[in-house]
Amino acid sequence: KQWYQRRVAITGEHLLAQVGFRRYVVRPIFSQHTKSNKHKLERFMPVTGNFVASFYAPITLTDSPAMLFKIEEDSTVSLLSTGTLLSCDPDRIVCKRIVLSGHPCKIHKRAAVIRYLFHNREDIAYFKPVQVRTKHGRRGHIKEALGTHGHCKITFDKPIQQSDTVLLPLYKRVFPKWHFEYF
């Protein structure tokens, strides 16, 4: 990837892609390029380093050169980045990180009642096996749901403070938007 101009491209934005001799308008999602099989979604095209732009397009079987262009309001195009075709792998997993947060309303030694983390009993039952953490580094497990409005009882490894925030990190798989037209 080479940066020719400091232009911002947002994930899902209409861009012009030229792969080999083909040129089409796509809506790519940007992700990190790592050695693992799961890759973290980037909301914007990274300024430095390598990245992968995933989109739906006709299959190209060679290591073709690839270029991304931004379509301006006056129908001109400007070069965003260059690179090569990585692969035509439909099984590439791109995950978006979501963090749910809640606040303690009652604390008794290592147990605490947390509110605003969930909004109904079904969500608490679904996420019961998942470990939660706080901003100060305490780890805990959901024990039970209290009432019908999403309050839950969580037991931590050490006592927490009233000003602490309870976090539940989640990962959701995302796919590129299906948008394809020849330019």
Side-chain angles (χ1 to χ4, degrees):
K1 166 187 97 95
Q2 296 176 354
W3 274 86
Y4 293 99
Q5 298 176 4
R6 294 270 183 198
R7 302 212 184 264
V8 176
I10 304 169
T11 291
E13 183 181 12
H14 292 272
L15 296 177
L16 179 65
Q18 180 165 348
V19 181
F21 59 89
R22 295 182 180 139
R23 183 180 276 196
Y24 25 78
V25 178
V26 294
R27 294 180 65 188
I29 59 172
F30 303 112
S31 61
Q32 296 175 349
H33 182 53
T34 58
K35 292 183 180 180
S36 67
N37 61 349
K38 295 175 187 71
H39 309 280
K40 185 177 174 274
L41 176 79
E42 298 289 338
R43 294 186 189 273
F44 299 96
M45 180 187 285
V47 178
T48 60
N50 296 330
F51 68 93
V52 175
S54 302
F55 52 85
Y56 293 111
I59 294 175
T60 304
L61 299 176
T62 61
D63 291 332
S64 302
M67 293 185 282
L68 279 178
F69 298 93
K70 184 168 185 160
I71 304 170
E72 303 294 340
E73 290 84 17
D74 57 351
S75 298
T76 60
V77 294
S78 59
L79 182 64
L80 286 178
S81 66
T82 61
T84 58
L85 182 67
L86 183 64
S87 68
C88 295
D89 185 16
D91 297 327
R92 181 179 170 84
I93 298 174
V94 179
C95 296
K96 177 166 102 174
R97 185 169 193 250
I98 301 168
V99 179
L100 302 179
S101 63
H103 303 283
C105 60
K106 288 184 183 178
I107 299 173
H108 181 70
K109 296 185 182 178
R110 293 183 0 187
V113 176
I114 308 298
R115 62 180 173 183
Y116 305 130
L117 187 61
F118 303 106
H119 296 289
N120 54 34
R121 291 182 73 93
E122 293 81 22
D123 291 343
I124 297 170
Y126 184 79
F127 290 111
K128 196 170 184 178
V130 180
Q131 184 180 19
V132 297
R133 66 176 181 88
T134 66
K135 285 195 173 181
H136 292 292
R138 304 289 181 247
R139 306 277 177 189
H141 293 283
I142 300 171
K143 290 299 175 191
E144 61 181 335
L146 302 173
T148 60
H149 297 292
H151 291 62
C152 62
K153 189 177 203 177
I154 299 178
T155 303
F156 293 95
D157 57 351
K158 292 181 181 177
I160 65 170
Q161 299 174 357
Q162 188 71 33
S163 62
D164 213 349
T165 303
V166 179
L167 305 172
L168 179 65
L170 302 172
Y171 293 91
K172 177 186 175 188
R173 186 172 181 184
V174 292
F175 298 94
K177 300 285 185 194
W178 181 265
H179 177 31
F180 174 79
E181 65 181 75
Y182 284 103
F183 187 72

